[in-house]
Amino acid sequence: MGNNMVDIIQKKKDGEALSPEEIRFFVEGYTAGDIPDYQASALLMAICFRGMDRQETFLLTEAMRLSGDMADLSAIKGVKVDKHSTGGVGDKTTLIAGPLAAACGVPVAKMSGRGLGFTGGTVDKLEAIPGFRTTLEAREFVELVNRRGISLIGQTAHIAPADKKLYALRDVTATVMEPSLIAASIMSKKLASGSDAIVLDVKCGRGSFNATEKDAERLALLLRDLGQDGGKRTMALVTDMEQPLGRAVGNSLEVIEAIETLKGRGPEDITELSLVLAGYMVYAGGRGETPEEGRRRAEEALRSGAGLEKLGQLIEGQGGDPGVLEDYSLFPRPVCKAEARAEKKGFVQGIDARAAGAASQHAGAGRKAKGDAIDLAAGLLLGAKTGEPVEKGDLLVTAWAATEEKAEEAAAKGAAAYVIGPEPPVLRPLVHSVVL
Ligand code: URA
């Protein structure tokens, strides 16, 4: 078959595997602007219906990776470890696990994303810290990791530009949720961004792309295989995203919760998941013989305050005010506050993470479309988590927003995410499985 877009679409529509040339032709042509959106959309939809096999997914990932620059981090000493989450609500683990792993001697050089829709993103959270720069020259990024052990920046435009274009198209053509497309999107960026090892946090549950554990496990295996094929030590954990992580959802609120966690006062789920992830990062970086040993070292870095100190160094290194570690009033100040309370007594059966994320987005913490401005002070604090008992009238949600009306609506939406029932629920595990 020749490299004709109509033939390529037809071939995938008929359920056949695309050849390496056809996949390259599509990715290169679409990135260059030679293939129009309507043909790319048709192919993406055919892929959603027919899927891609392992080899096609690998080739798609490679073609997307090669669409831009490769970050050169070879000047950083040691085994550089990246951590990536498939996206969730209240997930501030990068701000905790990153500094903990760095405190254990693992160089952390990470490019992060922004939030979209109901999910949050690390770059937005970092920008809640006054003065913090998330755009650095490559040289400065490398220097910071060598001097301070950690740097977190936004994705540069030159890394996997094919993904930028394709992701925007998938977003508006209902073609985001196909595993091969998700895997190629994530791994093309990760393989281009220069680290030696990658720890992936694949979410499952209502606040993620993977509703079921089986879907998440399949994606975790695919991501791990693509990483290994690309020559990086890659491991993936399937973790729970049924309820928001921690109690804070919204940018400055989440940074404050991350700081509290590094002070040893964080919510149980966030503390636990951060220690698990940091343990795997330490293991992947060769600073622990096993993930368990990695975790023990991360626990020590938490207990001793070395992790908190590392966060301070990260903030200072990127122009932020490290005073925020002790004085939370330095964060953007919320304007209006509203509360929502439990209407009956019982046990929290669950908190729909997607609905809670949408409530925080409504408060102003998230974007409806790429490029929208966000309110860094806006968001929610959850008064109770799944499994906890509540009395009628207990505080469920405190919401902050720019106007009274928005704060009240966000609090009501946040409270509507709760299900309260008479019996204590069976709790889901925080870590469902690990793919090494
Ligand atoms: N994150 C990505 O970067 N891409 C996807 O397709 C899904 C999640």
Side-chain angles (χ1 to χ4, degrees), residues 84 86 163 167 170 176 181-182 185-186 189 209:
H84 183 82
T86 57
D163 178 60
Y167 194 87
R170 288 166 58 213
V176 169
L181 297 177
I182 294 176
S185 165
I186 293 174
K189 289 175 288 200
F209 289 116

Side-chain angles (χ1 to χ4, degrees), residues 99-433:
L100 287 175
C104 296
V106 174
V108 178
K110 177 166 162 47
M111 290 184 201
S112 293
R114 292 191 183 276
L116 185 66
F118 66 91
T119 66
T122 302
V123 172
D124 293 331
K125 298 183 219 277
L126 289 169
E127 286 179 357
I129 300 167
F132 195 99
R133 290 181 298 129
T134 55
T135 308
L136 302 179
E137 289 297 324
R139 195 179 38 80
E140 198 180 357
F141 181 52
V142 165
E143 250 175 50
L144 277 174
V145 183
N146 273 336
R147 264 193 291 123
R148 301 183 182 242
I150 183 167
S151 180
L152 304 178
I153 60 170
Q155 178 103 32
T156 76
H158 315 295
I159 299 282
D163 178 60
K164 256 207 166 93
K165 274 193 88 172
L166 281 169
Y167 194 87
L169 189 62
R170 288 166 58 213
D171 204 28
V172 293
T173 54
T175 54
V176 169
M177 305 291 257
E178 153 53 36
S180 61
L181 297 177
I182 294 176
S185 165
I186 293 174
M187 294 312 289
S188 60
K189 289 175 288 200
K190 291 289 114 185
L191 293 173
S193 58
S195 56
D196 305 304
I198 308 165
V199 176
L200 295 158
D201 181 4
V202 180
K203 303 293 190 190
C204 79
R206 276 186 288 186
S208 78
F209 289 116
N210 308 290
T212 69
E213 212 177 313
K214 232 190 169 93
D215 290 341
E217 259 170 33
R218 217 174 289 138
L219 181 62
L221 274 167
L222 189 54
L223 291 166
R224 192 276 315 264
D225 288 350
L226 290 172
Q228 307 279 34
D229 288 351
K232 314 262 180 191
R233 186 169 192 203
T234 308
M235 39 200 84
L237 286 81
V238 174
T239 74
D240 203 56
M241 189 33 78
E242 187 73 4
Q243 66 168 334
L245 273 169
R247 291 175 183 265
V249 184
N251 299 291
S252 47
L253 295 168
E254 291 192 41
V255 181
I256 293 168
E257 189 169 77
I259 296 168
E260 283 289 296
T261 304
L262 284 169
K263 289 178 180 172
R265 304 194 290 242
E268 209 179 304
D269 58 348
I270 271 291
T271 304
E272 174 61 21
L273 185 58
S274 301
L275 285 171
V276 170
L277 289 168
Y280 277 90
M281 291 172 79
V282 172
Y283 169 61
R287 297 285 176 151
E289 290 290 315
T290 60
E292 292 71 33
E293 190 191 333
R295 183 204 165 102
R296 281 195 293 278
R297 299 200 57 198
E299 275 173 3
E300 182 46 38
L302 180 66
R303 228 182 344 259
S304 69
L308 181 68
E309 198 179 310
K310 200 47 94 178
L311 179 65
Q313 289 176 15
L314 163 71
I315 293 172
E316 197 171 25
Q318 294 189 216
D321 181 353
V324 293
L325 295 187
E326 296 307 328
D327 182 0
Y328 300 153
S329 73
L330 295 172
F331 282 100
R333 302 302 292 265
V335 184
C336 298
K337 174 176 153 182
E339 293 177 348
R341 293 177 178 274
E343 286 173 359
K344 61 179 179 190
K345 170 187 164 89
F347 291 88
V348 179
Q349 307 292 304
I351 309 165
D352 182 334
R354 182 175 291 239
S360 169
Q361 179 188 14
H362 186 81
R367 301 180 181 77
K368 297 217 161 63
K370 260 190 179 137
D372 281 357
I374 55 171
D375 178 353
L376 293 167
L380 314 178
L381 269 185
L382 305 177
K385 295 271 294 178
T386 300
E388 291 178 3
V390 288
E391 295 293 329
K392 184 172 180 213
D394 276 0
L395 188 60
L396 288 185
V397 177
T398 311
W400 284 272
T403 65
E404 296 280 349
E405 194 188 347
K406 260 196 185 174
E408 267 162 31
E409 284 168 358
K413 281 176 191 282
Y418 276 82
V419 177
I420 293 172
E423 302 293 333
V426 177
L427 295 179
R428 288 163 63 98
L430 198 52
V431 179
H432 292 267
S433 55

